[in-house]
Amino acid sequence: MHPAVTPPPRDHSQPPLTDTEIISLAQRHHNPTSSQLPPFLLSQSSHPSLLSFLHSRAAADLNSSSSVSDYVSALLSLISRHPSSALTSLLPTLLHSYLSLFTSNELTHDHNSLSTIHQFVGYLDIIEISEIPKVIDLITSYFPQINDLEDAHVLILLPKCLELIRFSNEIDKPVEYVNSVVDDLIGFDWSKVLLIKMVEIVRDFSFCIDKVRKREFLEKVFVKMRDDVEMQDLPGLVYQLLVLATKGFGKRDVIEGIVMYFGVMNKGSSIMKQVEGTVLLHVNFAVKQDPSLGQEVLGLVRLDSRAFNHFTVAVLLSVARIRRFSESAIGVLKTALFNAYKDYKFAKVCRWLSDELKEEYLENARIIEKAILKAVNASHYGREHIVPSIVQLGFGLLEGVEEGSEKEITKSNCLMGTEELGTQVLKCLFEVHDMARNEIIEQCKFRILSLKPEQGFPITRLLGYLVTVHPHPMLDHMSHLKEMLDYFVFMDDKISYHLVTVLLPLIKFSRDLQDYTILVLRKAMFRRENSVRLAATSAIFDLILAEKQSKTDGLFSFQESSSQASCSQQAEVPHPTKTDLFQELNGLLQRCLYQQANVRENLYHGLMKLVLVDPLIAGPTFNFLLPHFQRFYREDPDVQLEIDQCMKLENGKMCIEEPLDCLLFCVSWILLLQPLNRSEHPSDSWACFGFSITQENEAGRIFSGESFSNALVKIRKFIRNENLEGLIGKIQDSGSTPMEEEKRRCSATLLLGIVEVVMNIIVAELNKAANVQKQELETELSQFVDIHEFLEKYTSNSRQGHGFKKPIVRSTLSDTADTLAVGSTKLSPERTPLLATSSIYRLLQLALELWKLNFSKNSAASQKNSQLSSGKAQATNSKVIPCVLQMCLRQLKFFSFTGKDDPLKKLIYGEIKLLGPPLLNIILSLKPVPKSETDLHKKETKGKKNVEDRKEHIHLALLCLKRLIQISLCTSKYGGLFDDLVSACGVEDVSADAVGPNCSDECKLAEGIDDQSTRNKELFIKRSINPLLIEFLEFSFFSEAEGYTFSQILCDIALMIGNKLPEERRNLVGIWSTRICKSHHVTNSKVAKSLVFIAVSLSSPPSDLVIAQNMAEGLLKVVGSEGTDALDVSETFPVINKSTDAAIASTILQLVESNILDMDWITIRLKTYYMATQKGISFNQIGKMTPELAVEELLYSRAEAVVKVLSFFVAMNLKDTQAEHLLRLAAKFYKNLARLSKLRIASKGCKQVLPSLKYQKLVEITCRQLTAPIYDFVAQMQKNQQESNKTKGIVNKIKRENRCIPDLIFQIEDYEKYLIQLSKVTKVNLLRHAKRSTSRDFKILEPSEEENPNWEADCDNNTNTAEESGDEGEEETDNGLLPESGSPVAAEETEDEDEGALPRVKRAKTSRVVQDSSDEEA
């Protein structure tokens, strides 16, 4: 194309250019030499023609986008090269025309149109500002038609247009205009394409949008995201949102929206999980670039645990991979979980919370558990980078078992608890991620060696689970397991034993591990530490048991050597061979026989376990023990037991070296379970335990077994006929040395255990004997009971005399490693009882029969007595019951010290609930019956001794029954105890006198209930506890102290049972106790305290505090107040009298304190909720009312009831300690009221809500009934103090009061300060009933000024300050003193969010007198 020729100036009729020529002209103008435009383009009259070319090109070609783009690009090029020409004025029209074609779909939307629009963006600066709104209107009108990504190209112009208007001075109210445009954009119905494009472009004009509209924009985005967004678009969309968070949009809003979107998504497909993994990488990268985003993530969960969902957990785990957030992110996760557990634990025991609220807190804990597990289970979907964080979290949970109070979180409510959750987390990783296995085992090793034993047990239990479920993968980490075993002798004995135990299932897969374990245990047996040898002994027997189990299940599967075949061949032989592990370790076990006594006890009990598992081992066991036994037993007819050989002198003290009683106990049980002659002893040997162990008789076993059997028979005869005093030494006299006394006690202790072994044998024979033999065996059993009672006197210090004796301290079975391994750290100092539960059960029956025979006046019974017992037995029958009850009590005490998985527990203790009926029968039989005066007068001396015996017997039986019921309530396995106890009562109807004179329909114990377990508990209270309690309270047979001692035990039993009943049934026990309080005059403070505690604590809210109010009212009349006379006994509650008023007052204050502590927890929860709400956080995913809002109204009602109770106490003349307790409670209560009042005040920028009517009523009642009287109470206290003598006790009391009184005054004023602020902002007069105090000193001054009637002036007064002593202040307050009277320093009012922030005031000496300031603030 030739260059255009410049027309002569005189010729003005140049022909117009065509569109093609214009394009060519633009191309030629790229040449710098061609810089002049044709006259046609310089004339504004050409603009219509130029625009017509645009429309014609758009209409001429179907693919018009390219031709139109070339033409527009040519015009824009010419305009850019000649900005001062008339062609520039064409630009607004050209842009408008092009946009019209684009929005009317007359142009194809493709990359050409996108390029053209991008060119227009660069020319917007030269367009007149008045034309920009037209462009914006054209773009916004096109919004409803944007459905494809190409349609959104036009939005590129929008950011620049809004920027030009926002900073223009030519547009009227540019900010308002931009805001209106933004409002229109937010108000449009966005398509998913428009949503993505809006998020992309909004960052370019974010500076033009205020915070409110930014939040509205984000809300719009997240709402549209939930409707219809393709999964493949989510990662890009989230990335753009994270960019917006760095461009001025709310970071918390962005993070909250993202986590809530992915948290509530129900699309659980693998694609969605992969998308979430990509999003996590985006979040991780964004936090690395902007760490403040990480702080927002942490703060989101800290503020409210309702933000928890599986994606929140995943985000925190991803953020934890960043070094600076590693500890804090995992800490936030653990804290949220622990707080959820604590909240549920509190809600579960807080009786005045509704069931719906308790279910809310339970559900919250479940949600957190499920969220953690869901995040971990999805860890293999493109999010492998969080695996190290999951390992850190899992072990953090296991270490925090003690911190999270996991022991009290059970599976009863489908909660896993901290330990199980941590185990599940690590188990899932171990199963899914091979790369995590080595790290998990390595971390287990590190933590087992470094943590405390209490924290190490969850780690070892995790190892045990992995070994059991995944044995083959664990074998790949054998080197780590061996390294842990190498530290066996350096670990805590409980941990070392448990570690070996959990690794034992692997020995059936690896002979090498078994050999290595044996080597470690051999080394441990040569250590000096006794605890190490104890653990090694227990581990050896567990190893033998595991080896036997592995032979039962199959042969070693990982042996490839030639020895495997020989082992297999030998394993098929039914008899023990030299390859048996018991025979192989025989030498090591022989070494145990020369260790300390507790190691030998461990050995004997281990042998019993072996026989229980493998009956074939009985013969080798007898052969193993016989030579050792013969060291202490000889066939000499004179002395058969070498008791002296069982003791030794160590460190100047006599101690037991050989527990011969435990040896005989072991042998006797093996003999009882392995009868020598099957024809004489059928297979139902000792059927009461349910055992029927049979085996082939072997010559060696018969020989050793017969030797032991004969020895036991001789020992039995020897003890019965021998002079025991000569055996244990002469009776203590004034000339005996302490060494001789110690030796005598050790001898008696051994003989006592042997006697119990013999008694077990006799009871076993008694269960199988015929009627004729039974009488002889019962007589013999009675004799051994007498011997037992005789020996018990020598096991205790002789200076203690008779009665309850303190047995000799001796290492017991509970010292063994297997018992310690279950976490039991509390050990009993008494010796281990060797009596079986079945023996005690039979002894209880025998004792009851003998008692009835001795005191029966029936001639037939007397005749039976003469036939049954010899003269010696009759003389000792009265000693049978106390001795047997002592045995029973000791048995029950030791029951809880035996490991629950110990196989000997069932063998020795059996069904311990069988002891319940005979104990109850003994109590009912020993309970005295009314007698006439003539009967009481006869045989006064003998009757007095009978009474004394009965008192002791009843007391012991009640203690046994209490301990048995306690065991039953703690273990569901023994829940059938109450069935047996109710059956033992045998009374269907309870007389009206026994129930009480005022029994009404309110007392419906055991009525209208289908659950049999609950019904039996209530029947036991109704038929047994209630009649006995009333009888002990009223019957004159016992002295006052004794009757009340028995009543105290019964009250404890009733309280234990009542606490286990459902809430609706528990109230009936409270009503029962309340009725007793109203009908019985009790003078014992402990019994009265128990009855009041049951009545209030077991009554259902709000009745509990109503009862407390009524009792406080009666207490006020008995204690007395200023100006009124006190009564001796309350008319309403006779249990309240001069003897019990102090105890009952303390009890009610204690119950009120528990309610105040509940209020304290709830106010903290409310504060957290309000803080989250004020910051705009809302996680109500299911549309229900939040538990915090529901509990707030309950809190006001509860606080009102507390005020009413305390109002009676502030009117009483309380003693010093009770008055101090009351002041401290009141200070805590006012502190909670101040918190509640502060929460009612809205923060800046938030709408102030008027206080509810319940809150206003609470304020009114508090001001009237508590605040004003409490000032009078303090004044009266100080007045009495001034009138008292300045004794040392008074001085100490003043020092205590110097700390509690200023704290109380400060908390009251702090509460009233927030009431003043709340009154100002709500225009509601909350202090119209308040009475301002006039003194702040311990010295009460008469008020010199009248109370200011003007409430508004009171509201403006400075907050009064309190004087405190020179001692240090309380933990939670920092009260100060005024420097001088009449010169107060106003406390600073802060708006700090911390609840503990207190005003700062100056200090002064305690001798100064402080008065209120009447000055008003300027």
Side-chain angles (χ1 to χ4, degrees), residues 143-172:
F143 264 57
Q145 305 177 37
I146 299 178
N147 295 314
D148 295 326
L149 187 60
E150 290 78 8
D151 297 339
H153 293 164
V154 70
L155 300 181
I156 298 174
L157 297 169
L158 194 58
K160 186 66 176 180
C161 293
L162 291 175
E163 178 184 356
L164 292 173
I165 293 180
R166 174 63 180 80
F167 298 103
S168 173
N169 295 327
E170 301 177 13
I171 299 295
D172 186 27

Side-chain angles (χ1 to χ4, degrees), residues 549-602:
Q549 183 64 35
S550 67
K551 285 188 175 182
T552 303
D553 296 340
L555 302 175
F556 295 111
S557 56
F558 276 38
Q559 297 180 16
E560 298 179 359
S561 63
S562 59
S563 63
Q564 181 176 358
S566 60
C567 290
S568 301
Q569 295 168 1
Q570 295 171 358
E572 295 176 359
V573 181
H575 303 289
T577 64
K578 63 179 182 180
T579 58
D580 185 82
L581 194 57
F582 176 75
Q583 298 291 344
E584 182 180 342
L585 298 178
N586 190 278
L588 187 60
L589 295 176
Q590 286 285 349
R591 182 176 178 81
C592 296
L593 294 175
Y594 297 91
Q595 302 290 340
Q596 285 84 353
N598 51 6
V599 177
R600 301 185 192 189
E601 286 186 33
N602 243 4

